[in-house]
Amino acid sequence: MALTIGVDIGGTKIAAGVVDEDGHIVEHLLRPTPATDPERVAESIAEAVAELSEGREIEAVGLGAAGFVDETRSVVRFSPNLAWREEPLQKKVSTLVGLPVVVENDANAMAWGEARFGAGRGESHLVCVTVGTGIGGGIVLDGALFRGRWGMGAELGHMQVVPEGRLCGCGNLGCWEQYASGNALVAEARKIAEADPGRATVLLELAGGTPEGIEGKTVTEAARRGDEAALAAFSSMADWLAQGLCDLTAILDPGCFVLGGGVSTAADLWIDQVRAAYAANVTGRGHRPLPEIRLAELGASAGLVGAADLARIR
Ligand SMILES: [Zn+2]
């Protein structure tokens, strides 16, 4: 069976694995990312590929990179977390490893992994939304990954949902990820705890007494213990998530949504509300089949598996 290697390059670690045609990871390894040095990043990837290739015939390598990747799947134009600026990653790595290499945006790779082998299996039209510190996304239409004209499509977190709203890391105001991400959850919990500490007694106790001490895991734990402010923060995040899914439905009419990312590990606290708010607000409700809102199944390996599979489609 033909094997490829998938590499998921994040801001802190590089995860690489040998993947077979059925999406199974045959062997896997992790390395720290030398994030400030593009040459060292390419070398680390090449070292990981060399180690995994030993004694195996590898067909190609797929790299999932956190950044804007150009339409030829070669150059990382910009990355917010790594020192990549017009980085010719495909050329550098393929020279080092002597194999065909493709570069893909990490959220696109994740979406493809879920579409092929995870929660979206068998679905030709789907939108994958990764809810972590920000919001990432990937879109599959007619069974193919949608990249946009210049490879920069599906930056779902930067749809503007609130005119003149909260400042986003991208420089614009009111982006979706400022209202429906893990960071938004923490910001909302801090805001409520500051304005009305009586509603946030458990939350503040867990946070060492100050709103600044509140983190994502604090909000999750406080919500599980019934803290009013923590529950309100989850409720706000769920409503904003549902709103964005409604907008995406109006544009794309997907067959299903797949929700993943760090915040989905606490999905029991918010998924029912997302489904209810979505069903109550989506345009054409009552006259259209509703897409299922599913949770991702491949966890942290979705990007690696997706990148490995995309390396086959060259
Ligand atoms: Zn933004």
Side-chain angles (χ1 to χ4, degrees), residues 155 157-160 166-178:
E155 287 291 334
H158 302 287
M159 298 193 293
Q160 192 189 39
R166 295 176 191 157
L167 177 64
C168 183
C170 76
N172 284 344
L173 299 176
C175 292
W176 190 29
E177 71 174 27
Q178 296 308 315

Side-chain angles (χ1 to χ4, degrees), residues 7-165:
V7 188
D8 192 1
I9 310 146
T12 56
K13 56 183 190 295
I14 294 170
V18 179
V19 181
D20 72 16
E21 285 169 12
D22 297 324
H24 296 126
I25 299 173
V26 178
E27 196 184 330
H28 175 256
L29 61 81
L30 271 180
R31 291 272 162 86
T33 309
T36 54
D37 184 346
E39 301 308 318
R40 282 291 304 133
V41 173
E43 284 161 21
S44 283
I45 295 166
E47 284 159 24
V49 169
E51 196 176 320
L52 290 168
S53 302
E54 246 177 58
R56 294 193 176 94
E57 196 164 323
I58 301 294
E59 203 176 276
V61 178
L63 308 178
F68 287 101
V69 177
D70 78 341
E71 74 277 19
T72 65
R73 302 200 287 163
S74 324
V75 177
V76 185
R77 294 200 179 278
F78 168 78
S79 170
N81 301 315
L82 286 99
W84 284 329
R85 303 289 182 270
E86 299 297 328
E87 171 71 6
L89 190 62
Q90 188 268 344
K91 200 171 163 199
K92 274 188 192 171
V93 175
S94 65
T95 304
L96 290 169
V97 303
L99 287 168
V101 173
V102 299
V103 186
E104 191 63 63
N105 169 271
D106 61 341
N108 282 357
M110 215 177 287
W112 187 252
E114 289 290 342
R116 288 274 288 136
F117 307 110
R121 261 187 324 272
E123 183 59 67
S124 61
H125 292 71
L126 71 86
V127 179
C128 185
V129 182
T130 50
V131 189
T133 53
I135 289 183
I139 298 171
V140 173
L141 296 178
D142 277 325
L145 186 65
F146 171 81
R147 294 192 179 83
R149 172 63 181 89
W150 307 110
M152 297 182 189
E155 287 291 334
L156 307 182
H158 302 287
M159 298 193 293
Q160 192 189 39
V161 294
V162 180
E164 304 297 315

Side-chain angles (χ1 to χ4, degrees), residues 180-203:
S181 66
N183 280 357
L185 175 77
V186 171
E188 186 69 17
R190 284 180 181 164
K191 199 175 84 183
I192 302 170
E194 196 158 297
D196 198 353
R199 290 173 69 201
T201 47
V202 179
L203 186 58

